[in-house]
Amino acid sequence: PAGAAAGAGTGGADRVSLRQESRAKLSVCSKLCYAVGGAPYQTTGCALGFFLQIYLLDVAQLDPFYASIILFVGRAWDAVTDPMVGFFISKTSWTRVGRLMPWIIFSTPFAVLSYFLIWFVPDISSGQVLWYLVFYCLFQTLVTCFHVPYSALTMFISTEQSERDSATAYRMTVEVLGTVLGTAIQGQIVGKADTPCIQSPVFLGETNSSVAMEEVNMTHDTGSLTDTKNAYMIAAGVIGGLYILCAVILSLGVREKREASELQSDEPVSFFRGLKLVMNHGAYIKLIAGFLFTSLAFMLLEGNFALFCTYTLGFRNEFQNILLAIMLSATLTIPLWQWFLTRFGKKTAVYVGISSAIPFLIMVVLLDSNLIVTYIVAVAAGISVAAAFLLPWSMLPDVIDDFKLQHPDSRGHEAIFFSFYVFFTKFASGVSLGISTLSLDFAGYQTRGCSQPSKVNFTLKMLVSAVPVGLILLGLLLFKLYPIDEEKRRKNKKALQDLR
């Protein structure tokens, strides 16, 4: 009888566990609505990452030095806003729609307006630098108010690790699709405009005929530049409309949940105590160290690729299509990497996926300029970009689960994990992008030039090949220290189920 009772008790516990897992499962519709919310950040980020540098230099016609200041300060400020927003979110009380969702809803309209003003060339003789600096920083603040709570939302859509991983895969697919949309919308609209360039004089002294020719072409160049400015604003309007649509779908289609153990208290968590605990968590620091350098490599490539295609490879009218090939390839291979990490483990996927970019980054600068070869390299590089997109966000919830097991009485730190992870990568990317633009200035970059000096072309080769390859190798070397393998992940999952 005792054995039968024990068996019945075990069976009852199993049934309760099955009911809990069933409730924790997410519908495909919920996963899709959640995933759609990742598109605005990636769409705007991709457009800014690929096109802002060339826009500031060749359309707004800023000096490379001032462009580097805008890019560095904007990215650095963007990095600072992540922990700031994480702090305020940790102080936010739960509302009828959740703790994170109000941030997403109220930041959206202001983010869209500031994004549009980034791509507007003000008709002022002085103060352009301040204009772009203010609206770039303002947009980065507002989009952070959207993205940090959205990233942390991963931990509040389900308590099941497998469901969160599945939702993350949906999200990464849509986010990479968002980069495709950002590249396609910005690239195709802007690519149809004929951006005028200035031929470098062959001789040191200009002849009267060349001066006369320049005066004849001045009206055409001014008209073409106006068309280009209008094209950038049209693209900004389309992307802004997409941002609003995705935010509406997310807010209507996703319900923010709280774990049963958190329902007992509504008191806000101490941010600084939580920050100290998070920064002392070894697995988190090692994950950041590994992905900091690999993310930096791809951001450096992203920031300089348009200039590299335009000037070094000579594909002025094709670079937007090459970027589109990279992002389409990345979108199509996200499901492949989701299958790969499920089959072989996340650490193996990191090594295979991210290192696969190295030979192609080397190939694109060693081979002679050839459009077909460039497209092949672009498609192959997109496969590695997909892994770089998916894996960090797929592994961060594992670190948070590991933290919860070590600190079961300390709750509500999800926003800190996500915001500081983004902080380190953004700050490093701001430094790298500022340095890369300054490097072009020192190399003699010619604003609106039809071609560039050999030193500029060499600098661009270094920025899209040698430096990213070195950063990827360093990141993978550091990543060997990351302690959560598949066995550890399974043990954590079982321990969390028992704890709940």
Side-chain angles (χ1 to χ4, degrees):
T10 303
D14 289 342
R15 285 193 295 274
V16 170
S17 177
L18 286 171
R19 284 197 298 270
Q20 288 174 340
E21 288 188 17
S22 177
R23 285 198 300 269
K25 285 192 177 297
L26 297 169
S27 67
V28 172
C29 181
S30 294
K31 291 177 185 177
L32 285 173
C33 290
Y34 166 72
V36 163
Y41 179 78
Q42 296 299 339
T43 304
T44 55
C46 185
L48 289 167
F50 280 127
F51 292 92
L52 184 59
Q53 187 179 41
I54 197 170
Y55 167 81
L56 293 175
L57 294 173
D58 288 356
V59 180
Q61 299 179 42
L62 297 181
D63 184 271
F65 174 75
Y66 292 118
S68 69
I69 290 176
I70 292 168
L71 293 170
F72 167 69
V73 174
R75 288 290 184 97
W77 175 252
D78 185 23
V80 171
T81 57
D82 284 281
M84 285 172 55
V85 171
F87 169 77
F88 288 117
I89 289 174
S90 71
K91 295 292 185 181
T92 304
S93 300
W94 281 82
T95 67
R96 187 171 55 85
V97 294
R99 188 175 66 170
L100 304 173
M101 201 63 77
W103 286 82
I104 294 170
I105 295 169
F106 290 115
S107 65
T108 294
F110 302 103
V112 171
L113 177 61
S114 58
Y115 177 78
F116 179 81
L117 292 175
I118 291 172
W119 301 105
F120 175 74
V121 180
D123 188 18
I124 50 178
S125 57
S126 61
Q128 276 194 336
V129 174
L130 184 61
W131 173 280
Y132 291 115
L133 195 58
V134 167
F135 285 109
Y136 189 32
C137 290
L138 181 60
F139 172 73
Q140 298 291 17
T141 303
L142 292 166
V143 80
T144 298
C145 291
F146 182 103
H147 192 248
V148 168
Y150 171 73
S151 300
L153 193 61
T154 309
M155 305 303 296
F156 294 94
I157 56 176
S158 177
T159 57
E160 274 297 303
Q161 187 184 78
S162 59
E163 289 299 300
R164 294 201 305 261
D165 284 349
S166 176
T168 299
Y170 275 80
R171 170 191 165 189
M172 290 302 110
T173 303
V174 174
E175 285 200 3
V176 178
L177 182 60
T179 66
V180 173
L181 287 172
T183 306
I185 294 169
Q186 190 86 3
Q188 298 305 314
I189 293 176
V190 170
K192 294 185 185 305
D194 180 22
T195 305
C197 62
I198 300 172
Q199 293 285 356
S200 299
V202 177
F203 303 104
L204 291 175
E206 289 186 338
T207 63
N208 291 334
S209 61
S210 67
V211 173
M213 183 64 70
E214 184 176 332
E215 289 175 355
V216 169
N217 291 332
M218 187 65 70
T219 302
H220 170 71
D221 285 354
T222 303
S224 299
L225 190 58
T226 301
D227 292 342
T228 304
K229 293 176 182 177
N230 291 336
Y232 273 100
M233 286 191 289
I234 291 170
V238 174
I239 290 175
L242 187 66
Y243 190 123
I244 293 173
L245 177 63
C246 292
V248 170
I249 292 173
L250 172 67
S251 60
L252 294 178
V254 175
R255 188 167 68 89
E256 190 177 341
K257 303 173 184 177
R258 298 174 72 179
E259 290 185 1
S261 57
E262 289 190 90
L263 292 172
Q264 299 170 0
S265 174
D266 214 305
E267 296 179 6
V269 180
S270 169
F271 177 82
F272 293 104
R273 179 175 174 272
L275 178 60
K276 182 179 179 181
L277 289 172
V278 167
M279 290 304 166
N280 285 329
H281 190 58
Y284 182 60
I285 298 302
K286 289 164 185 173
L287 182 73
I288 289 176
F291 276 118
L292 177 63
F293 292 100
T294 56
S295 300
L296 187 53
F298 287 102
M299 289 176 182
L300 200 59
L301 179 65
E302 176 189 69
N304 293 280
F305 197 75
L307 292 171
F308 175 73
C309 287
T310 300
Y311 295 113
T312 305
L313 298 182
F315 301 138
R316 176 177 288 273
N317 298 321
E318 287 288 334
F319 79 87
Q320 66 269 17
N321 297 323
I322 296 169
L323 297 178
L324 190 57
I326 294 175
M327 293 307 167
L328 279 173
S329 172
T331 303
L332 295 174
T333 49
I334 283 280
L336 168 68
W337 288 118
Q338 177 64 18
W339 169 84
F340 190 95
L341 68 85
T342 303
R343 177 71 177 79
F344 299 101
K346 296 181 181 180
K347 286 191 73 170
T348 304
V350 168
Y351 292 125
V352 174
I354 295 179
S355 63
S356 64
I358 293 176
F360 300 105
L361 293 177
I362 296 172
M363 188 186 305
V364 77
V365 297
L366 292 182
L367 296 179
D368 292 333
S369 179
N370 182 291
L371 188 58
I372 295 175
V373 171
T374 303
Y375 272 108
I376 293 172
V377 170
V379 171
I383 298 173
S384 188
V385 169
F389 263 98
L390 173 65
L391 291 165
W393 297 110
S394 178
M395 299 170 79
L396 195 51
D398 299 339
V399 172
I400 297 174
D401 285 345
D402 188 65
F403 176 86
K404 285 182 177 179
L405 284 174
Q406 294 187 25
H407 305 279
D409 297 325
S410 185
R411 309 182 189 283
H413 305 310
E414 291 81 5
I416 299 176
F417 275 99
F418 283 93
S419 61
F420 271 88
Y421 174 78
V422 177
F423 165 78
F424 287 113
T425 55
K426 283 182 178 178
F427 187 81
S429 74
V431 172
S432 69
L433 198 53
I435 291 174
S436 69
T437 311
L438 275 178
S439 300
L440 294 174
D441 188 22
F442 293 143
Y445 181 87
Q446 301 294 320
T447 301
R448 289 181 61 196
C450 294
S451 60
Q452 297 292 340
S454 58
K455 287 184 178 179
V456 171
N457 290 326
F458 175 76
T459 302
L460 286 170
K461 287 182 178 180
M462 296 294 291
L463 292 173
V464 302
S465 180
V467 178
V469 166
L471 290 170
I472 287 173
L473 291 174
L474 180 58
L476 293 178
L477 186 64
L478 289 171
F479 194 76
K480 289 183 69 67
L481 302 173
Y482 179 67
I484 303 178
D485 54 15
E486 290 307 296
E487 182 181 356
K488 174 76 169 174
R489 214 161 68 87
R490 284 191 292 268
K491 288 181 179 178
N492 284 352
K493 179 181 178 180
K494 177 68 167 60
L496 273 177
Q497 287 176 340
D498 293 343
L499 189 63
R500 290 186 182 115

